[in-house]
Amino acid sequence: MIAILKKELWSYFGNWSAWIIIAAFSLVSALFLFFFENDFNILDIGTASLQSFFTLSPWLFLFIIPALAMKTFAEEQQNGTLQWLFSQPLKISEIVSGKFFAVFLVGILCLLPSLVYLYSIYVLGVPEGNLDLGATLGSYFGLIIQIATFSAVGILASSLSSNQIMAYLLGVFLNFILYFGIEQLANFKLLGGVDYILQNLGFYHHFMAFTRGLIDTQDVFYFLFVIGLSLFLSKYFVEKKK
């Protein structure tokens, strides 16, 4: 797994794709949080809080993570190198895990520039340091586990596709449905008591709990289950390509 992880990280950073994605995430989030007139602008809100960042970030990652994950298996199959991977003394689970952690780590690196936002809010608060650290740390934890979930779903989409564009579109579609689509469907309240069950099947409901500073084991286990299921299905579909 470590060998696959190193190979994938080198492919991301060796051709500048990871640097471009990290820079793009930082630039877009900075523009929305400090420059553009919108509901996310921290200066317009007038509250010493990074809540806007934690609301905006999942939407950015919803498009960024599938872009990182689309190449994991779809590109290997396009280039004919997937069979070479199968010939190596590696288990399919190790290949899937190595690629998953590579996408996940690049996603985590996208968060590092946000520490500048955290420091800015800390300094701009009245009085200085007037920041809800509990909610902030809980939100960071939730965002990290959300990145992991998007990564696992992106890997699954790539394992289902033989074309990178299709892998990207499928990854965005699946993450959108799981993050926002299910939540919106539940909000229509068409199914009575079933709406609450439906709401609990989506990412949004569980992620919002973290942004309030609540780290509930049920929410953690939910995301871990989705990650495990996605990686298990990825392993299954990759094995079928042997």
Side-chain angles (χ1 to χ4, degrees):
M1 188 192 77
I2 299 298
I4 294 295
L5 175 60
K6 289 179 179 178
K7 169 185 171 294
E8 292 297 310
L9 287 176
W10 174 251
S11 71
Y12 286 129
F13 289 98
N15 63 6
W16 295 92
S17 59
W19 300 109
I20 292 171
I21 286 176
I22 293 170
F25 175 84
S26 303
L27 177 62
V28 172
S29 59
L31 289 174
F32 273 94
L33 294 175
F34 294 101
F35 296 98
F36 292 163
E37 291 186 9
N38 59 87
D39 294 336
F40 297 108
N41 193 299
I42 293 173
L43 301 179
D44 289 343
I45 294 171
T47 304
S49 170
L50 275 180
Q51 185 64 37
S52 295
F53 173 73
F54 296 119
T55 304
L56 174 66
S57 292
W59 286 102
L60 298 180
F61 281 120
L62 193 151
F63 294 97
I64 286 175
I65 297 299
L68 290 167
M70 67 180 184
K71 66 185 288 295
T72 50
F73 288 107
E75 184 185 55
E76 298 274 13
Q77 188 165 355
Q78 265 187 310
N79 296 339
T81 55
L82 191 58
Q83 294 302 318
W84 175 82
L85 266 183
F86 291 151
S87 68
Q88 302 305 304
L90 295 166
K91 297 178 181 177
I92 302 298
S93 58
E94 293 173 338
I95 298 173
V96 172
S97 299
K99 290 178 177 291
F100 162 72
F101 281 112
V103 174
F104 175 58
L105 286 175
V106 176
I108 294 298
L109 290 176
C110 289
L111 291 180
L112 292 181
S114 72
L115 298 178
V116 177
Y117 311 152
L118 180 61
Y119 176 74
S120 301
I121 296 299
Y122 184 88
V123 172
L124 292 173
V126 180
E128 183 176 318
N130 183 25
L131 182 68
D132 188 343
L133 287 177
T136 302
L137 293 176
S139 298
Y140 267 113
F141 178 81
L143 194 52
I144 288 171
I145 201 168
Q146 184 69 78
I147 291 171
T149 311
F150 281 158
S151 300
V153 174
I155 294 289
L156 173 59
S158 186
S159 70
L160 286 167
S161 308
S162 57
N163 179 278
Q164 290 190 68
I165 302 300
M166 290 302 300
Y168 176 74
L169 295 175
L170 180 60
V172 171
F173 175 76
L174 290 176
N175 280 323
F176 176 81
I177 292 297
L178 290 169
Y179 179 74
F180 190 69
I182 292 176
E183 178 70 18
Q184 288 303 297
L185 186 60
N187 285 339
F188 283 125
K189 302 187 183 303
L190 299 174
L191 303 174
V194 181
D195 286 326
Y196 179 73
I197 299 174
L198 182 63
Q199 189 179 48
N200 276 271
L201 294 176
F203 295 167
Y204 185 86
H205 175 75
H206 297 278
F207 175 72
M208 284 296 110
F210 291 119
T211 63
R212 295 189 291 270
L214 302 173
I215 301 179
D216 194 322
T217 52
Q218 289 184 348
D219 297 318
V220 175
F221 282 128
Y222 165 80
F223 281 114
L224 292 178
F225 172 77
V226 175
I227 292 169
L229 179 62
S230 298
L231 295 181
F232 174 79
L233 291 175
S234 300
K235 175 177 175 292
Y236 172 77
F237 288 116
V238 171
E239 283 181 334
K240 290 190 70 175
K241 294 182 178 183
K242 264 192 169 184

